[in-house]
Amino acid sequence: MLIPELSEPNRQALLQAARHAQQMAYAPYSHYQVGAAVLDEQGRTHAGCNVENAAYPEGLCAEAAALAAMVLAGGTHAQAVLVVGSGGNNNIGWTTPCGGCRQKMREFGGPDLPVLTANQDHTGPCYTLSQLLPESFGPDHLGQPAPMHRA
Ligand code: THU
């Protein structure tokens, strides 16, 4: 599947924002720090990090935090998402979004939404959202405009 073109300046902005966010992660329980960045429809970048909690299920993923930042700033849909974790080293798989975050992205991105991976040193594989979440359920099922058609 073809991944829509992401300009190099936009890719660099996402990478820098997500790498910085990873450094700010609050992960005292898992020690697994994640940063994420979302490029919105206006070309703005919004970052988030994971925020864990002593009541474990209350922890927040980096992607969810980045999407919340986008919504707070008035963004209506995502053009691209980049996730930075510790994966990609020593045969550990690249950090890809958890299932819940894939569904959260679906709210703000269509099947072709590019989802990029990286760690602090290298960039990893790029996927489309439909590769990560095939046959997904989204706003269109409820009669809402698809993310890429929102004003
Ligand atoms: N985590 C994320 O922030 N995003 C993901 O997509 C995968 C998992 C966080 C949640 C938890 O704080 C830590 O990584 C370990 O699961």
Side-chain angles (χ1 to χ4, degrees):
M1 185 179 302
L2 269 180
I3 291 172
E5 201 53 51
L6 178 65
S7 77
E8 189 55 22
N10 280 339
R11 201 182 65 84
Q12 286 298 334
L14 286 175
L15 195 53
Q16 195 180 3
R19 281 178 170 158
H20 176 257
Q22 190 201 17
Q23 302 291 327
M24 303 306 291
Y26 176 74
Y29 305 107
S30 72
H31 303 289
Y32 194 86
Q33 297 187 281
V34 184
V38 182
L39 183 71
D40 75 11
E41 75 287 352
Q42 300 171 52
R44 301 176 302 173
T45 295
H46 310 278
C49 61
N50 56 332
V51 181
E52 296 186 347
N53 193 283
Y56 291 0
E58 297 305 323
L60 182 69
C61 281
E63 298 90 326
L67 288 168
M70 182 190 83
V71 171
L72 177 63
T76 58
H77 66 269
Q79 289 194 59
V81 177
L82 191 146
V83 183
V84 170
S86 60
N89 295 315
N90 305 323
N91 296 325
I92 303 170
W94 289 92
T95 302
T96 49
C98 78
C101 286
R102 294 175 193 202
Q103 182 64 36
K104 288 181 175 72
M105 288 177 200
R106 178 65 183 83
E107 190 68 21
F108 300 103
D112 296 333
L113 175 71
V115 181
L116 292 78
T117 61
N119 59 29
Q120 286 292 338
D121 303 315
H122 299 103
T123 55
C126 178
Y127 306 92
T128 62
L129 184 57
S130 68
Q131 286 178 305
L132 300 178
L133 191 70
E135 306 299 335
S136 64
F137 184 85
D140 38 323
H141 285 90
L142 300 179
Q144 297 295 315
M148 52 284 204
H149 297 129
R150 281 180 213 152

